[in-house]
Amino acid sequence: MESKHIATSSPFSLHRGCHECNLSKLCIPIAVGAEDIDRLEEIIRQGKMLNRGEYIFEQHTPFRSCFAVRSGAIKTFTVSEEGEEQVTGFYLPGEIIGLDSVSMEKYSCSAVALERTSVCEIPLEKFEDLASDIPSLQHHFFSLMSKEIQESRQLTMLLSKNSAEERIASLLLSLSTRFSRRRLSGTNFRLPMPRSDIGNYLGLAVETVSRVITRFQNNGIIKVQGREVQILQLEELQKVLRHDTKCLEHQKESAVNGR
Amino acid sequence: MESKHIATSSPFSLHRGCHECNLSKLCIPIAVGAEDIDRLEEIIRQGKMLNRGEYIFEQHTPFRSCFAVRSGAIKTFTVSEEGEEQVTGFYLPGEIIGLDSVSMEKYSCSAVALERTSVCEIPLEKFEDLASDIPSLQHHFFSLMSKEIQESRQLTMLLSKNSAEERIASLLLSLSTRFSRRRLSGTNFRLPMPRSDIGNYLGLAVETVSRVITRFQNNGIIKVQGREVQILQLEELQKVLRHDTKCLEHQKESAVNGR
DNA sequence: CGTACAGTTGAGGAGATTCAATCATCGTGG
DNA sequence: CCACGATGATTGAATCTCCTCAACTGTACG
């Protein structure tokens, strides 16, 4: 269970540059030619390590940098005046955090490591200069931010229109495709976050998350053991998201049928 | 009721440049020095007029430009595969639409005029070149996009954590501050959108929107006549948003008391 | 081996939805 | 200028999904 850390966060990989990073096709370097990667590397501080629970940055502190996740997993969240936490996102290797605070005075959310995690720091001031010089880099960064807006819109839509089942199906599918992109299994993976964070993120009570997951399992769509997830019927999960299927065969009936 | 249009969208103002536009402090030009505004004006197509119901751009068509709203009001929305509409935002003068599609192949949403509206077109390709040349412009544009992410996050939060009353209070307050920014009344204004769009945007049924508005009115917080809104107690509305007050004194009781 | 925390399960209740009917408003054409 | 249909808005009643509260189970860790 801890073994996967070794692969991605060994001391060696930490000090490799963007050239060697196997995430470069997902990350910032994708935008720049080989000759410009060196300039990019110059401004990026590589491979800062964090233990579970450690902060990458904190809400309301001065904004300096975005961060690329290199290994591990991160959650971002805001805390309202009343002290309520709101999870705004989960970030996996190859993804960028801090885009919502670019060109702001202060970070608009906090970011904490959900497990042992390494990140690359992208100081925005220097980065903006570089982006002015390299049009494709500016373009790519616009694109990243634009995607972030779209994803947030997606989530908004999910929350405003979809049932608990559909929301959870959506999250599972999102994780699945994001693992696949990194050439990991899209059907067998470990949830980096506790149920409470899932609920918070999706606007559901923990109990509801738990119930829905159990329901999915009873319907043979997934198999769950703690945080270990196995997607057995990907298509069914997609159907759930499309309002096609409802898996809410309330257990009453099956109970009556003596199962 | 139609008089306000004359002020902001008379043929004259349409062909005035950014220099004279009274929205320049809210819009793009804020970022550039006086000497650079001319270069900005060169690439911006000013004052395109649209009637209510006309599209500024349509989802899935090739992305070319962002648009700054000059007068009127716009709603953006996506249509899912099943044909369901999801309103993603309302935009008032001084605000920019299309940021969620920057550096994308195609528009990720459609934009239609909610009333007679004029917009300025910002062709992104040329704009990116200019942004490379003018660091403050690049910076400002990053900032705009970042704000858009944050606002979308705000909305997500609203939908996931807040009741119907709180959501509607939030929208009213948002409109109020946005009108104020333009030095219009923040307490007396006309809703540019129908209840159905409000409901769709806030993840509520039209009936719920109607009920909550009526409730607010019964509690003396606002006065509503069709789309004309008068905020009578701004502080109370803010309290609602902070979970402080609940205005759900269900009418039952007042009915018992013989009203 | 007990404490703490994460996750599951059950019962009951509250807020929002859905369905249905009614009322209001507005632009249009006779 | 008024009647008309259409769309938008309101109100009521019944239903349902999800939340809350509570108890319980499992698991990690000192």
Side-chain angles (χ1 to χ4, degrees):
Chain A
M1 138 203 165
E2 294 298 327
S3 61
K4 74 169 158 205
H5 286 138
I6 298 171
T8 50
S9 67
S10 73
F12 279 95
S13 68
L14 288 184
H15 298 105
R16 280 197 208 140
C18 299
H19 280 299
E20 293 80 12
C21 180
N22 58 2
L23 293 169
S24 63
K25 293 166 303 306
L26 300 175
C27 185
I28 305 270
I30 194 180
V32 305
E35 65 288 358
D36 283 327
I37 286 198
D38 296 325
R39 301 173 65 192
L40 189 60
E41 278 193 29
E42 257 171 51
I43 69 165
I44 292 182
R45 200 169 319 155
Q46 318 248 352
K48 182 178 177 183
M49 285 297 309
L50 298 133
N51 288 317
R52 177 170 159 228
E54 287 187 326
Y55 282 75
I56 294 87
F57 51 77
E58 244 179 300
Q59 194 177 6
H60 303 316
T61 62
F63 172 81
R64 291 275 144 67
S65 306
C66 289
F67 294 83
V69 185
R70 190 149 193 188
S71 69
I74 287 169
K75 79 163 174 183
T76 55
F77 62 98
T78 60
V79 178
S80 66
E81 298 113 24
E82 301 92 50
E84 261 186 306
E85 180 174 320
Q86 166 70 39
V87 175
T88 55
F90 301 113
Y91 294 81
L92 301 180
E95 301 170 351
I96 313 288
I97 60 173
L99 292 176
D100 57 341
S101 307
V102 166
S103 307
M104 300 280 124
E105 288 278 309
K106 308 193 175 285
Y107 286 106
S108 65
C109 64
S110 300
V112 14
L114 288 165
E115 47 190 68
R116 192 158 167 74
T117 291
S118 91
V119 295
C120 299
E121 182 171 356
I122 307 162
L124 239 284
E125 202 173 355
K126 291 179 189 167
F127 184 84
E128 283 189 15
D129 295 343
L130 193 59
S132 293
D133 258 29
I134 310 175
S136 66
L137 185 58
Q138 186 200 48
H139 185 86
H140 180 65
F141 205 67
F142 280 148
S143 164
L144 281 178
M145 295 186 74
S146 164
K147 274 206 195 84
E148 191 84 12
I149 299 172
Q150 279 183 47
E151 268 159 36
S152 180
R153 293 265 165 85
Q154 287 287 105
L155 181 60
T156 305
M157 198 147 135
L158 196 69
L159 296 187
S160 86
K161 290 235 175 330
N162 298 70
S163 68
E165 294 195 342
E166 290 160 348
R167 296 183 208 180
I168 293 188
S170 171
L171 179 64
L172 290 175
L173 288 169
S174 165
L175 290 172
S176 170
T177 64
R178 286 148 80 191
F179 280 117
S180 299
R181 246 195 326 226
R182 286 157 52 207
R183 310 183 168 237
L184 301 175
S185 168
T187 54
N188 273 60
F189 52 86
R190 186 181 164 75
L191 297 172
M193 73 295 278
R195 304 281 192 274
S196 54
D197 282 342
I198 296 180
N200 187 310
Y201 178 64
L202 295 177
L204 299 170
V206 206
E207 296 93 327
T208 306
V209 175
S210 189
R211 274 185 257 270
V212 170
I213 288 181
T214 310
R215 212 176 295 156
F216 282 164
Q217 189 162 222
N218 289 342
N219 285 283
I221 298 181
I222 60 176
K223 190 166 182 323
V224 182
Q225 182 75 254
R227 298 208 182 163
E228 223 62 53
V229 174
Q230 214 178 117
I231 299 180
L232 303 173
Q233 302 179 255
L234 203 65
E235 320 74 31
E236 286 301 310
L237 212 49
Q238 288 160 343
K239 272 192 201 165
V240 172
L241 190 51
R242 293 199 218 96
H243 312 274
D244 274 10
T245 312
K246 292 189 178 146
C247 300
L248 10 86
E249 301 164 1
H250 282 132
Q251 287 89 334
K252 299 167 193 169
E253 300 140 47
S254 25
V256 170
N257 294 336
R259 212 228 299 178
Chain B
M1 139 201 167
E2 294 297 326
S3 62
K4 76 168 158 208
H5 285 137
I6 298 171
T8 51
S9 67
S10 74
F12 279 95
S13 70
L14 288 183
H15 299 104
R16 280 197 208 139
C18 298
H19 279 298
E20 292 80 13
C21 181
N22 58 1
L23 293 169
S24 63
K25 294 167 302 304
L26 299 175
C27 184
I28 306 271
I30 197 178
V32 305
E35 64 289 357
D36 283 326
I37 286 197
D38 296 324
R39 301 173 64 192
L40 189 60
E41 277 193 32
E42 257 171 51
I43 69 164
I44 292 183
R45 200 169 318 157
Q46 318 248 354
K48 182 178 177 184
M49 285 298 309
L50 297 131
N51 287 317
R52 177 170 161 227
E54 288 187 325
Y55 282 76
I56 294 88
F57 50 76
E58 244 178 302
Q59 193 177 8
H60 302 317
T61 62
F63 172 81
R64 293 274 143 65
S65 305
C66 291
F67 294 83
V69 185
R70 190 150 193 189
S71 68
I74 286 169
K75 79 163 174 182
T76 55
F77 62 98
T78 60
V79 178
S80 67
E81 298 113 25
E82 302 94 47
E84 260 187 307
E85 180 176 320
Q86 166 70 39
V87 175
T88 55
F90 301 113
Y91 294 82
L92 300 181
E95 300 171 351
I96 314 288
I97 60 173
L99 292 175
D100 56 342
S101 306
V102 167
S103 308
M104 298 281 124
E105 288 278 310
K106 307 189 177 288
Y107 285 106
S108 65
C109 64
S110 301
V112 358
L114 288 166
E115 48 188 67
R116 192 158 169 73
T117 291
S118 91
V119 295
C120 300
E121 182 171 356
I122 307 161
L124 238 285
E125 203 173 353
K126 292 178 189 167
F127 183 84
E128 283 190 14
D129 295 342
L130 193 60
S132 293
D133 259 29
I134 310 175
S136 66
L137 185 59
Q138 185 199 49
H139 185 84
H140 181 65
F141 206 67
F142 280 148
S143 165
L144 281 177
M145 295 186 74
S146 167
K147 276 205 193 85
E148 190 84 11
I149 298 172
Q150 278 184 46
E151 269 158 36
S152 181
R153 292 264 165 85
Q154 287 289 105
L155 180 60
T156 305
M157 199 148 134
L158 196 69
L159 296 187
S160 86
K161 289 237 176 328
N162 296 66
S163 67
E165 294 195 344
E166 290 159 349
R167 296 183 207 180
I168 293 189
S170 170
L171 179 63
L172 290 175
L173 288 168
S174 165
L175 291 173
S176 170
T177 64
R178 286 149 80 192
F179 279 115
S180 299
R181 245 194 328 225
R182 287 156 53 208
R183 310 183 169 237
L184 301 175
S185 167
T187 55
N188 273 61
F189 52 86
R190 184 181 166 75
L191 298 172
M193 73 296 276
R195 304 281 193 275
S196 54
D197 283 341
I198 295 180
N200 187 310
Y201 178 65
L202 294 176
L204 299 171
V206 206
E207 296 92 327
T208 307
V209 175
S210 190
R211 274 184 255 270
V212 170
I213 288 182
T214 309
R215 211 177 295 157
F216 281 164
Q217 190 162 218
N218 290 341
N219 285 285
I221 297 181
I222 59 175
K223 190 166 181 326
V224 183
Q225 182 76 254
R227 297 206 183 163
E228 222 62 53
V229 175
Q230 213 178 121
I231 299 180
L232 302 172
Q233 301 180 255
L234 202 66
E235 320 75 32
E236 285 302 311
L237 213 49
Q238 288 160 342
K239 271 191 200 164
V240 172
L241 190 51
R242 292 200 219 93
H243 313 273
D244 273 11
T245 314
K246 292 190 179 145
C247 300
L248 11 85
E249 302 164 0
H250 283 132
Q251 288 88 336
K252 299 168 194 169
E253 300 142 47
S254 24
V256 170
N257 294 336
R259 210 218 314 168

